[in-house]
Amino acid sequence: MSESEAGSRARAVREMFGAIAPRYDFLNRLLSLGIDQQWRRFVARRLADLEEPLVLDVACGTADLSLAVRERNPGARVVGLDFSEEMLRLAAAKVARRGLASSVVFVAGSAEELPFADNLFAGLTIAFGIRNVIDRPRALAEF
């Protein structure tokens, strides 16, 4: 895929998620028959005992996995990264309603070009967003 095609595809995915953001949580529950919530709890349990609980949640969407990690490990700090500004806006509002804005923060960015120093995080998650990553090998190398 050419750089131009990748850019066009990334733009289309970002626009799609911006459009569905208000219904994203509902659609996840409906389309997965609620299994998405079980999966997030499973992942959060796997990260519950980190000694240095700084976790990066890539393609965080509306922060359901970020919040599950934080709820399972109250000492955790989570950075949610997503390329959709609308998703990040909804995520920040959800986190603020729960009073967790100091321990769950958000950054706009791409899985293929993480804007962080190497080895900063003790854990990294990516839920269903991996299906929308344009260049998966590049993203996995970043992880």
Side-chain angles (χ1 to χ4, degrees):
M1 176 181 313
S2 74
E3 193 171 318
S4 172
E5 291 170 323
S8 293
R9 185 168 169 217
R11 204 170 15 270
V13 170
R14 190 171 22 259
E15 289 172 5
M16 178 191 68
F17 278 97
I20 68 167
R23 298 178 309 282
Y24 185 74
D25 291 343
F26 170 75
L27 290 171
N28 271 341
R29 303 304 174 274
L30 178 68
L31 296 173
S32 74
L33 302 175
I35 294 171
D36 65 305
Q37 294 173 310
Q38 294 172 17
W39 184 87
R40 287 184 187 92
R41 286 191 295 270
F42 171 80
V43 171
R45 282 192 306 274
R46 301 288 298 197
L47 296 172
D49 296 326
L50 292 174
E51 289 183 29
E52 298 290 330
L54 179 59
V55 176
L56 176 61
D57 182 15
V58 177
C60 67
T62 62
D64 283 347
L65 184 53
S66 300
L67 286 166
V69 168
R70 177 59 176 72
E71 288 166 4
R72 186 68 181 182
N73 185 340
R77 291 176 297 131
V78 181
V79 176
L81 178 124
D82 204 287
F83 62 36
S84 169
E85 295 285 343
E86 184 63 18
M87 288 287 193
L88 291 174
R89 188 184 66 72
L90 293 170
K94 185 187 290 186
V95 165
R97 283 192 303 273
R98 296 188 188 185
L100 297 172
S102 64
S103 58
V104 182
V105 298
F106 301 98
V107 175
S110 163
E112 295 96 340
E113 295 180 42
L114 298 178
F116 307 105
D118 290 346
N119 302 311
L120 179 63
F121 297 94
L124 180 141
T125 65
I126 183 167
F128 307 105
I130 192 69
R131 67 183 174 230
N132 300 307
V133 172
I134 306 303
D135 188 344
R136 288 186 192 118
R138 185 172 171 195
L140 292 172
E142 279 288 283
F143 299 170

